[in-house]
Amino acid sequence: MTEPQPWRRHLFLALFVSFFFYSASVYTSGTALNTAPPASEAALRGQVVFRENNCWACHQIYGLGGYMGPDLTNVVINPDLGPDYARLFIEEGTDRMPKFDLSTNEVDDLIAYLEYAGAAGNYNPKKGKVTWYGTVEYER
Ligand code: HEC
């Protein structure tokens, strides 16, 4: 058997060393990309109110949920709609949405939850612009 050429050994060594460093960097770099602020106590309570009153049955957050009513992800942070607008729907209902008998605190918590949902993400694919590499970007 002939000895491998020295350049082959160097190539193997270089590949081995780069593989080692690449693996080390992959395994040690964090995966947290979400820069949304953490949910406040009120937002967490609001999420429970949202769940216990079955808002999901008719509404979506980030596009997930029932489809009888609109997606609520951005309703509170939308300058054209906002917290007072959302509060009116929740407290008074419409002919298509039931009126909820919630305490002022519960409604405040719901609003905090919807505010948090809006800060953490966007939902309206029609308003987003698809980039050349396939992701959707929104104006903030
Ligand atoms: C039975 C189905 C149903 C349930 C349950 C329901 N909603 Fe609705 N909701 C609707 C419908 C339908 C609309 C649209 C009403 C309209 O335009 O008349 C709506 C509208 C809204 C809006 C205004 C959204 C917008 O973009 O105009 C908010 C805010 C809202 N709902 C919050 C809630 C919350 C919070 C809950 C739970 C406490 C809830 N809804 C439970 C059916 C429902």
Side-chain angles (χ1 to χ4, degrees):
M1 217 170 95
T2 56
E3 275 287 296
Q5 311 247 319
W7 67 268
R8 287 193 170 195
R9 267 196 212 146
H10 292 146
L11 181 64
F12 176 78
L13 194 69
L15 286 173
F16 182 79
V17 168
S18 31
F19 170 76
F20 179 81
F21 280 107
Y22 180 67
S23 300
S25 84
V26 167
Y27 281 100
T28 53
S29 62
T31 51
L33 275 180
N34 192 345
T35 51
S40 65
E41 289 288 310
L44 291 175
R45 285 194 305 267
Q47 189 180 39
V48 174
V49 179
F50 197 86
R51 216 166 38 219
E52 286 180 347
N53 288 278
N54 260 334
C55 310
W56 292 110
C58 300
H59 291 285
Q60 316 100 62
I61 300 280
Y62 311 132
L64 297 175
Y67 281 86
M68 194 176 159
D71 188 288
L72 298 180
T73 314
N74 298 135
V75 64
V76 167
I77 62 155
N78 183 337
D80 296 333
L81 306 174
D84 294 340
Y85 172 90
R87 184 178 291 276
L88 200 65
F89 276 86
I90 299 165
E91 288 176 347
E92 303 301 328
T94 72
D95 49 357
R96 297 193 296 139
M97 168 163 159
K99 174 176 188 290
F100 285 86
D101 278 325
L102 299 171
S103 69
T104 315
N105 284 345
E106 285 173 316
V107 179
D108 288 346
D109 292 345
L110 269 177
I111 302 290
Y113 170 57
L114 292 176
E115 197 170 58
Y116 166 71
N122 273 299
Y123 189 75
N124 188 347
K126 285 177 230 127
K127 282 191 191 151
K129 246 180 31 195
V130 181
T131 62
W132 64 268
Y133 48 91
T135 60
V136 179
E137 277 176 5
Y138 294 89
E139 277 177 25
R140 279 242 156 190

PDB file of all heavy atoms in Angstrom, residues 17-33:
ATOM      1  N   VAL A  17     -10.495  20.156  11.313  1.00  0.00           N
ATOM      2  CA  VAL A  17     -10.447  21.295  12.238  1.00  0.00           C
ATOM      3  C   VAL A  17     -11.634  22.234  11.984  1.00  0.00           C
ATOM      4  O   VAL A  17     -12.315  22.670  12.920  1.00  0.00           O
ATOM      5  CB  VAL A  17      -9.097  22.039  12.115  1.00  0.00           C
ATOM      6  CG1 VAL A  17      -9.150  23.376  12.841  1.00  0.00           C
ATOM      7  CG2 VAL A  17      -7.974  21.176  12.665  1.00  0.00           C
ATOM      8  N   SER A  18     -11.946  22.483  10.680  1.00  0.00           N
ATOM      9  CA  SER A  18     -13.085  23.389  10.444  1.00  0.00           C
ATOM     10  C   SER A  18     -14.392  22.740  10.867  1.00  0.00           C
ATOM     11  O   SER A  18     -15.274  23.413  11.393  1.00  0.00           O
ATOM     12  CB  SER A  18     -13.157  23.899   9.008  1.00  0.00           C
ATOM     13  OG  SER A  18     -12.663  22.970   8.133  1.00  0.00           O
ATOM     14  N   PHE A  19     -14.512  21.432  10.675  1.00  0.00           N
ATOM     15  CA  PHE A  19     -15.720  20.733  11.131  1.00  0.00           C
ATOM     16  C   PHE A  19     -15.858  20.871  12.646  1.00  0.00           C
ATOM     17  O   PHE A  19     -16.935  21.155  13.170  1.00  0.00           O
ATOM     18  CB  PHE A  19     -15.639  19.255  10.742  1.00  0.00           C
ATOM     19  CG  PHE A  19     -16.720  18.420  11.363  1.00  0.00           C
ATOM     20  CD1 PHE A  19     -18.013  18.467  10.866  1.00  0.00           C
ATOM     21  CD2 PHE A  19     -16.448  17.602  12.445  1.00  0.00           C
ATOM     22  CE1 PHE A  19     -19.021  17.703  11.438  1.00  0.00           C
ATOM     23  CE2 PHE A  19     -17.453  16.836  13.027  1.00  0.00           C
ATOM     24  CZ  PHE A  19     -18.732  16.897  12.526  1.00  0.00           C
ATOM     25  N   PHE A  20     -14.735  20.729  13.339  1.00  0.00           N
ATOM     26  CA  PHE A  20     -14.755  20.815  14.794  1.00  0.00           C
ATOM     27  C   PHE A  20     -15.222  22.198  15.265  1.00  0.00           C
ATOM     28  O   PHE A  20     -16.111  22.327  16.081  1.00  0.00           O
ATOM     29  CB  PHE A  20     -13.362  20.507  15.340  1.00  0.00           C
ATOM     30  CG  PHE A  20     -13.297  20.609  16.828  1.00  0.00           C
ATOM     31  CD1 PHE A  20     -13.740  19.556  17.619  1.00  0.00           C
ATOM     32  CD2 PHE A  20     -12.816  21.754  17.429  1.00  0.00           C
ATOM     33  CE1 PHE A  20     -13.704  19.659  18.997  1.00  0.00           C
ATOM     34  CE2 PHE A  20     -12.775  21.871  18.803  1.00  0.00           C
ATOM     35  CZ  PHE A  20     -13.219  20.815  19.591  1.00  0.00           C
ATOM     36  N   PHE A  21     -14.635  23.254  14.661  1.00  0.00           N
ATOM     37  CA  PHE A  21     -15.004  24.603  15.079  1.00  0.00           C
ATOM     38  C   PHE A  21     -16.441  24.939  14.688  1.00  0.00           C
ATOM     39  O   PHE A  21     -17.178  25.580  15.431  1.00  0.00           O
ATOM     40  CB  PHE A  21     -14.021  25.641  14.527  1.00  0.00           C
ATOM     41  CG  PHE A  21     -12.778  25.706  15.346  1.00  0.00           C
ATOM     42  CD1 PHE A  21     -11.581  25.190  14.870  1.00  0.00           C
ATOM     43  CD2 PHE A  21     -12.811  26.261  16.629  1.00  0.00           C
ATOM     44  CE1 PHE A  21     -10.439  25.225  15.650  1.00  0.00           C
ATOM     45  CE2 PHE A  21     -11.669  26.297  17.414  1.00  0.00           C
ATOM     46  CZ  PHE A  21     -10.471  25.784  16.925  1.00  0.00           C
ATOM     47  N   TYR A  22     -16.844  24.486  13.497  1.00  0.00           N
ATOM     48  CA  TYR A  22     -18.210  24.752  13.064  1.00  0.00           C
ATOM     49  C   TYR A  22     -19.199  24.077  14.025  1.00  0.00           C
ATOM     50  O   TYR A  22     -20.165  24.702  14.478  1.00  0.00           O
ATOM     51  CB  TYR A  22     -18.417  24.251  11.635  1.00  0.00           C
ATOM     52  CG  TYR A  22     -19.815  24.510  11.140  1.00  0.00           C
ATOM     53  CD1 TYR A  22     -20.265  25.813  10.918  1.00  0.00           C
ATOM     54  CD2 TYR A  22     -20.701  23.457  10.919  1.00  0.00           C
ATOM     55  CE1 TYR A  22     -21.546  26.059  10.496  1.00  0.00           C
ATOM     56  CE2 TYR A  22     -21.993  23.694  10.496  1.00  0.00           C
ATOM     57  CZ  TYR A  22     -22.409  24.998  10.291  1.00  0.00           C
ATOM     58  OH  TYR A  22     -23.691  25.234   9.876  1.00  0.00           O
ATOM     59  N   SER A  23     -18.948  22.811  14.357  1.00  0.00           N
ATOM     60  CA  SER A  23     -19.839  22.099  15.282  1.00  0.00           C
ATOM     61  C   SER A  23     -19.882  22.806  16.629  1.00  0.00           C
ATOM     62  O   SER A  23     -20.954  22.977  17.212  1.00  0.00           O
ATOM     63  CB  SER A  23     -19.369  20.665  15.502  1.00  0.00           C
ATOM     64  OG  SER A  23     -19.351  19.992  14.296  1.00  0.00           O
ATOM     65  N   ALA A  24     -18.702  23.217  17.105  1.00  0.00           N
ATOM     66  CA  ALA A  24     -18.669  23.888  18.403  1.00  0.00           C
ATOM     67  C   ALA A  24     -19.504  25.163  18.348  1.00  0.00           C
ATOM     68  O   ALA A  24     -20.269  25.447  19.275  1.00  0.00           O
ATOM     69  CB  ALA A  24     -17.236  24.200  18.780  1.00  0.00           C
ATOM     70  N   SER A  25     -19.421  25.910  17.238  1.00  0.00           N
ATOM     71  CA  SER A  25     -20.186  27.162  17.179  1.00  0.00           C
ATOM     72  C   SER A  25     -21.681  26.871  17.067  1.00  0.00           C
ATOM     73  O   SER A  25     -22.498  27.568  17.655  1.00  0.00           O
ATOM     74  CB  SER A  25     -19.690  28.051  16.040  1.00  0.00           C
ATOM     75  OG  SER A  25     -20.302  27.683  14.835  1.00  0.00           O
ATOM     76  N   VAL A  26     -22.066  25.822  16.323  1.00  0.00           N
ATOM     77  CA  VAL A  26     -23.490  25.487  16.206  1.00  0.00           C
ATOM     78  C   VAL A  26     -24.058  25.071  17.559  1.00  0.00           C
ATOM     79  O   VAL A  26     -25.139  25.500  17.968  1.00  0.00           O
ATOM     80  CB  VAL A  26     -23.712  24.360  15.170  1.00  0.00           C
ATOM     81  CG1 VAL A  26     -25.121  23.785  15.273  1.00  0.00           C
ATOM     82  CG2 VAL A  26     -23.456  24.879  13.764  1.00  0.00           C
ATOM     83  N   TYR A  27     -23.292  24.273  18.287  1.00  0.00           N
ATOM     84  CA  TYR A  27     -23.829  23.761  19.555  1.00  0.00           C
ATOM     85  C   TYR A  27     -23.797  24.765  20.685  1.00  0.00           C
ATOM     86  O   TYR A  27     -24.458  24.603  21.689  1.00  0.00           O
ATOM     87  CB  TYR A  27     -23.083  22.484  19.969  1.00  0.00           C
ATOM     88  CG  TYR A  27     -23.592  21.294  19.207  1.00  0.00           C
ATOM     89  CD1 TYR A  27     -22.903  20.799  18.113  1.00  0.00           C
ATOM     90  CD2 TYR A  27     -24.787  20.675  19.575  1.00  0.00           C
ATOM     91  CE1 TYR A  27     -23.389  19.725  17.388  1.00  0.00           C
ATOM     92  CE2 TYR A  27     -25.282  19.608  18.858  1.00  0.00           C
ATOM     93  CZ  TYR A  27     -24.580  19.132  17.766  1.00  0.00           C
ATOM     94  OH  TYR A  27     -25.069  18.090  17.057  1.00  0.00           O
ATOM     95  N   THR A  28     -23.010  25.834  20.535  1.00  0.00           N
ATOM     96  CA  THR A  28     -22.939  26.783  21.642  1.00  0.00           C
ATOM     97  C   THR A  28     -23.711  28.071  21.367  1.00  0.00           C
ATOM     98  O   THR A  28     -23.951  28.835  22.291  1.00  0.00           O
ATOM     99  CB  THR A  28     -21.486  27.143  21.977  1.00  0.00           C
ATOM    100  OG1 THR A  28     -20.851  27.570  20.774  1.00  0.00           O
ATOM    101  CG2 THR A  28     -20.738  25.966  22.579  1.00  0.00           C
ATOM    102  N   SER A  29     -24.123  28.324  20.103  1.00  0.00           N
ATOM    103  CA  SER A  29     -24.852  29.574  19.867  1.00  0.00           C
ATOM    104  C   SER A  29     -26.296  29.395  20.318  1.00  0.00           C
ATOM    105  O   SER A  29     -26.883  28.330  20.154  1.00  0.00           O
ATOM    106  CB  SER A  29     -24.779  29.991  18.403  1.00  0.00           C
ATOM    107  OG  SER A  29     -25.391  29.019  17.620  1.00  0.00           O
ATOM    108  N   GLY A  30     -26.876  30.455  20.890  1.00  0.00           N
ATOM    109  CA  GLY A  30     -28.244  30.388  21.400  1.00  0.00           C
ATOM    110  C   GLY A  30     -29.240  30.286  20.259  1.00  0.00           C
ATOM    111  O   GLY A  30     -28.930  30.580  19.102  1.00  0.00           O
ATOM    112  N   THR A  31     -30.456  29.857  20.595  1.00  0.00           N
ATOM    113  CA  THR A  31     -31.475  29.759  19.552  1.00  0.00           C
ATOM    114  C   THR A  31     -32.562  30.810  19.735  1.00  0.00           C
ATOM    115  O   THR A  31     -33.472  30.886  18.942  1.00  0.00           O
ATOM    116  CB  THR A  31     -32.131  28.366  19.581  1.00  0.00           C
ATOM    117  OG1 THR A  31     -32.534  28.102  20.909  1.00  0.00           O
ATOM    118  CG2 THR A  31     -31.187  27.296  19.087  1.00  0.00           C
ATOM    119  N   ALA A  32     -32.456  31.615  20.810  1.00  0.00           N
ATOM    120  CA  ALA A  32     -33.517  32.579  21.083  1.00  0.00           C
ATOM    121  C   ALA A  32     -33.436  33.749  20.112  1.00  0.00           C
ATOM    122  O   ALA A  32     -32.494  34.522  20.143  1.00  0.00           O
ATOM    123  CB  ALA A  32     -33.400  33.075  22.506  1.00  0.00           C
ATOM    124  N   LEU A  33     -34.415  33.873  19.233  1.00  0.00           N
ATOM    125  CA  LEU A  33     -34.443  34.976  18.284  1.00  0.00           C
ATOM    126  C   LEU A  33     -35.571  35.944  18.599  1.00  0.00           C
ATOM    127  O   LEU A  33     -35.576  37.062  18.136  1.00  0.00           O
ATOM    128  CB  LEU A  33     -34.645  34.442  16.867  1.00  0.00           C
ATOM    129  CG  LEU A  33     -33.396  33.997  16.144  1.00  0.00           C
ATOM    130  CD1 LEU A  33     -33.756  33.494  14.763  1.00  0.00           C
ATOM    131  CD2 LEU A  33     -32.409  35.144  16.032  1.00  0.00           C
TER     132      LEU A  33
END
